[in-house]
Amino acid sequence: MPLIDLANPTRFLALSHRLLPWFAAATAAAFASGIYLAVSAPDDYQQGATVKIMFVHVPAAWLAMGCWTVMTIAALGTLVWRHPLADVAARAAAPLGAAFTAMCLITGMLWGRPMWGTYWVWDGRLTSVLVLFLMYLGVLALWRTVEDPSRAARAAAVLTLVGAINLPIIKFSVDWWATLHQPASVLRLGGPTIHSSLLTPLLVMALAFLLLFVTLHLAAMRNEIMRRRVRTMLMLQAEAAGH
Amino acid sequence: MTALAALFVRDLKLSVRLGGGALMGVLFFLIVVTLMPFAIGPDLALLARIGPAILWLGALLASLLALDRLIASDYEDGSLDLILMAPAPLELALAAKAIAHWLTTGLPLVIAAPLLGFLLNLDPAATGAVALTLLAGTPALTFIGLIGAALTVALRRGGLLIAVLVLPLTVPVLIFGVAASNAAIVGPLPFGTPFTILCALALMSAVVGPFAAAAALRHGLE
Amino acid sequence: MSSNRRPTRLVASELACVRGGRAVFSALSFAVGTGEALLVSGPNGAGKSSLLRAVAGLVRLTGGKLALEDGDAELTLGEQAHYLGHQDALKPSLTVAENLEFWTRYLDGGGAIAPALDVVGLGGIAHLPAAYLSAGQRRRLSIARLIAVARPLWLLDEPTSALDSAAQTMLATLMRDHLAGGGMILAATHGPIGLDGAKELRLGSAR
């Protein structure tokens, strides 16, 4: 099937309907093996069993950034090619991105409690993830505020692109701010090298998270397309009533 | 009573539906609190010490933010005309609107405060104290804000004017809210004294607010 | 809330209104009895809307007397009147039914809304958000309020605006029914609204 056909929402619905069970099954399998590998991995000599939080934390952090990348590409699709499926992809990715970022923050806090003795430090890395989380919430708020979906999509696309340009600047300035104020005494995540006994489960878990994202994103896109169809049908119903 | 209940339920529905700003205030609160350490530095001991003040200032600004829609949206679509004509007393109608407004904008701030306490390195006792003072204090902010919203309802750009009118009136609430929180953390005052005054302020504004707002609306008519 | 006493006459004598230092109207006297309609006409800015809002109690009068004779003494004039202004007093995020139900409960204390929606032709789309309605449909939804809650006096400001001819006929029928039931209508209008034999009050000719 040529790629252009995918751009048709109806084709997309049919194809995603067939693909979803496979992705869901692959996600379950990846998580099963990932969790098995993670549980049987050796404890870190310094961090103990706490290091295993990393098997959730690090993939969540990667996806937190990955979702914004997906949204950025979709935003280009919305603004440049004015493609309705791009709107749908951007909208479906935003809550997922926010959820993965929240997961990254929460697992980070749980890891920080035994490691740093406090749930939160204003370390550059943590803080820039927090700012990323706030930006996701901003995009979600924008989607919720504008009633017309295609207008909301264009506004959200502009915000997403501005965010994509700004995120590196935010990251840089937060790092600068954190090192300015703090001696580099904070434990660095992971350490300089990761032993392969930890690396393999991490990569499997990352694959599982990626599959989870793809599955949820497909399902959310389907929901969004159907929600829009319902909306259009209701509007037609209103138009048909008593003119 | 049915009339007031209907108004109360309608306002709750409006704020949680699409386009309603129920959680916008919390988001603003989160952002303001996050910005504070950027301005004053990530020193955890310092943040813990001034944490209650940061949370209170953030909550004050966040509850101010939503005020301009409190009455203005009813004014713009003509609903206010009908509310003014209706048999239900205007004072009680405004009180019902204010309570609905507090439930959707004030209460979320109280719930969010303990989460933000983590970011500011507050210990659980201090977090509890701040949340408790916010629970008593944010209704006062809403009822005082009601007056500002009523005064500026007919103006095109009421938002900033509301802030200018309302912020000075909130000074006592801020003083006793932060004082009670600090009393719970470091002393030397007992927590009860400022907290009782804070509760008294809330009760007083719950009485004065609707009457003053109703008077402002009636006199605002040409 | 609804009173079993029915007012018999709306009497206005020597009404005056000043807005922003300018006299909108002065020495205005008229009377509307049961079953009667009074059409207020005049050029733009003649004070038609202000007069209606003044009768509703939404604009302060600077002089004159306004009374609803034989009405319930405990109710204000505004509480015995319906006001249909330029704005529709609808919330886009509430459904058609929710919008009407709110006003019925707020103005009266309850009543069936389904018959009123059927009369204005919105019965089939009661479940839709008001945001999806056209201007004419929004107007019809606010007209449904007049039927759902019984009030002796209707104050209508340009009631036919945004309505197509079918809806204008519907409104005319509703107004005639209201008059036949002993109601009163005070309407500001630029043209005929389908009420034959209504009295007319011309504003702004003095200037």
Side-chain angles (χ1 to χ4, degrees), chain A residues 180-192:
Chain A
L180 179 78
H181 287 282
Q182 261 182 329
S185 64
V186 178
L187 270 170
R188 278 274 154 235
L189 309 186

Side-chain angles (χ1 to χ4, degrees), chain B residues 2-3 6-7 10 13-14 17 73-74 76-79 81-88 93 218-219 221-222, chain C residues 1 19 53 56 58-60 78-79 81 83 87-91 93-94 98 102-103 105-107 109 145:
Chain B
T2 29
L7 182 63
R10 183 201 70 156
K13 273 187 195 164
L14 286 176
R17 295 244 169 119
S73 60
D74 276 337
E76 282 158 15
D77 66 15
S79 299
D81 287 343
L82 303 187
I83 291 176
L84 282 164
M85 286 171 67
R218 290 211 184 91
H219 286 279
L221 303 178
E222 293 160 87
Chain C
M1 229 24 116
R19 292 180 87 170
R53 290 180 67 80
L58 296 170
V59 164
R60 201 177 310 262
E79 288 164 17
Y83 173 65
Q87 293 138 322
D88 293 315
L90 301 175
K91 298 291 177 190
S93 61
L94 297 184
E98 280 172 332
F102 165 68
W103 284 122
R105 288 182 63 196
Y106 196 75
L107 297 175
R145 195 177 73 225

Side-chain angles (χ1 to χ4, degrees), chain A residues 93-182:
Chain A
L96 292 174
F100 282 121
T101 316
M103 189 188 281
C104 171
L105 284 170
I106 291 168
T107 51
M109 286 167 89
L110 292 176
W111 181 85
R113 181 66 190 171
M115 286 299 111
W116 295 330
T118 171
Y119 284 108
W120 187 263
V121 290
W122 290 88
D123 152 79
R125 198 182 289 219
L126 273 74
T127 308
S128 40
V129 174
L130 180 61
V131 175
L132 178 65
F133 182 58
L134 293 178
M135 297 195 45
Y136 272 119
L137 293 185
V139 172
L140 286 176
L142 187 58
W143 275 112
R144 253 189 73 79
T145 308
V146 186
E147 213 267 330
D148 176 26
S150 57
R151 263 185 60 208
R154 284 195 294 277
V158 173
L159 182 63
T160 307
L161 287 180
V162 171
I165 297 166
N166 263 300
L167 278 172
I169 303 175
I170 294 172
K171 172 90 177 107
F172 161 77
S173 45
V174 167
D175 279 344
W176 180 82
W177 165 83
T179 45
L180 179 78
H181 287 282
Q182 261 182 329

Side-chain angles (χ1 to χ4, degrees), chain A residues 147 230-231 234-235 237-243, chain C residues 121 124-125 127-128 131-134 137 140 164:
Chain A
E147 213 267 330
V230 168
R231 186 175 181 276
L234 289 178
M235 293 188 82
Q237 216 179 332
E239 226 169 277
H243 265 299
Chain C
I125 54 170
H127 59 288
L128 293 187
Y132 295 171
L133 301 190
S134 67
Q137 287 171 325
R140 272 150 54 194
D164 58 19

Side-chain angles (χ1 to χ4, degrees), chain B residues 31 36 47-48 64 74 79 91 94 100-101 114 142-143 175 182 187 196 201 205 215 220:
Chain B
I31 292 173
M36 289 290 177
L47 285 175
L64 198 69
D74 276 337
S79 299
E91 288 80 5
L94 289 173
H101 183 81
T142 302
F143 279 109
I175 289 178
N182 280 334
T196 316
L201 286 173
S205 58

